[in-house]
Amino acid sequence: MMDNNSDDDPIMISALEHWSYCPRQCALIHVEQTFDENLYTMRGQAVHKRVDEPESEIVDGVRVERAVPLWSKRLGLVGRADVVEFHGNVPYPVEYKHGPRREKDHDDLQLCAQALCLEEMTGVPVPSGAIFHHTSRRRREVSFSAALRSQVTDVVGHIRAMLHAKSLPPPVNDSRCRNCSLIEACMPSVIGEQQRAAALVRTLFVISEPS
């Protein structure tokens, strides 16, 4: 695949999860440089406290590396893996999340992007990884299918277009907003009502053809 990102600033791997959850949230963080904390972000920071410190150890014969820097020239990505286990010479990324499994694949996209970086960095195929859900203290294995890999590439393209345009997508104004730490900066209900009102005004001036 052609590297078409060489002249662009690299995209943070975390942006893929942000975009998947809400494109406007992604733009507020990565275009507007807006970030606020709430209970959920503070819980996430507490969970990541240990894996944020670079460390290497052997656990049950498996080499475990923490806070591993990642990059991909092909995709134009940079970031860091919470944990990378090495089963033989095969990397196995593990991402820590403070809450239960989400309904959609936001976390899977981020983890797959880490795997694509590891493949490029090591030259070794990375078929799977895991999400460690702190609430349940369980791992959920993620297989990096062709469809998921393709989705990562597509999302990177969408994010890059957004960064070039330096524009904010419209607010979703749905159930996702309740737990979002950026709800005050986003103002989804206010902007959503303004857009709805503007749409209603436009319909007032539409003249229907007589039947």
Side-chain angles (χ1 to χ4, degrees):
M1 182 177 295
M2 181 178 66
D3 179 358
N4 59 357
N5 302 310
S6 57
D7 296 331
D8 295 318
D9 291 334
I11 292 171
M12 295 297 297
I13 293 173
S14 59
L16 277 74
E17 180 189 13
H18 298 147
W19 174 275
S20 176
Y21 185 76
C22 172
R24 185 174 175 86
Q25 182 197 70
C26 182
L28 284 167
I29 294 172
H30 299 278
V31 175
E32 300 290 328
Q33 304 297 307
T34 300
F35 189 81
D36 292 322
E37 289 189 340
N38 65 5
L39 175 63
Y40 301 99
T41 59
M42 288 188 287
R43 284 177 177 172
Q45 290 171 4
V47 168
H48 280 84
K49 187 173 182 180
R50 183 187 178 194
V51 293
D52 279 344
E53 295 295 328
E55 184 182 5
S56 179
E57 62 178 332
I58 304 296
V59 180
D60 296 330
V62 175
R63 180 160 63 97
V64 178
E65 302 283 348
R66 293 186 171 84
V68 179
L70 300 175
W71 64 87
S72 168
K73 291 183 65 177
R74 179 177 69 85
L75 293 172
L77 292 174
V78 294
R80 186 168 62 176
D82 289 340
V83 171
V84 178
E85 299 175 353
F86 286 86
H87 299 264
N89 69 333
V90 179
Y92 187 88
V94 181
E95 179 70 12
Y96 279 55
K97 298 297 180 184
H98 74 84
R101 178 178 180 177
R102 299 184 183 183
E103 293 181 4
K104 297 187 178 179
D105 55 3
H106 318 302
D107 300 338
D108 296 13
L109 274 175
Q110 181 182 6
L111 188 67
C112 186
Q114 293 178 9
L116 295 178
C117 291
L118 286 166
E119 288 182 339
E120 186 173 327
M121 292 165 60
T122 65
V124 176
V126 182
S128 60
I131 305 291
F132 177 80
H133 295 281
H134 190 263
T135 300
S136 63
R137 300 281 181 171
R138 291 186 177 183
R139 285 188 177 191
R140 174 176 60 86
E141 186 161 272
V142 178
S143 177
F144 304 131
S145 65
L148 186 57
R149 290 165 181 263
S150 178
Q151 191 176 358
V152 168
T153 302
D154 290 343
V155 169
V156 168
H158 289 309
I159 295 172
R160 194 167 297 284
M162 177 196 70
L163 293 174
H164 282 168
K166 298 186 183 300
S167 61
L168 288 177
V172 293
N173 196 23
D174 61 19
S175 60
R176 286 171 285 182
C177 302
R178 289 196 298 268
N179 297 331
C180 180
S181 64
L182 301 183
I183 188 168
E184 291 187 6
C186 177
M187 298 187 296
S189 59
V190 173
I191 296 174
E193 284 302 309
Q194 289 175 345
Q195 292 174 337
R196 190 170 74 90
L200 288 172
V201 168
R202 286 195 297 270
T203 62
L204 294 176
F205 298 95
V206 174
I207 300 176
S208 303
E209 293 291 334
S211 56

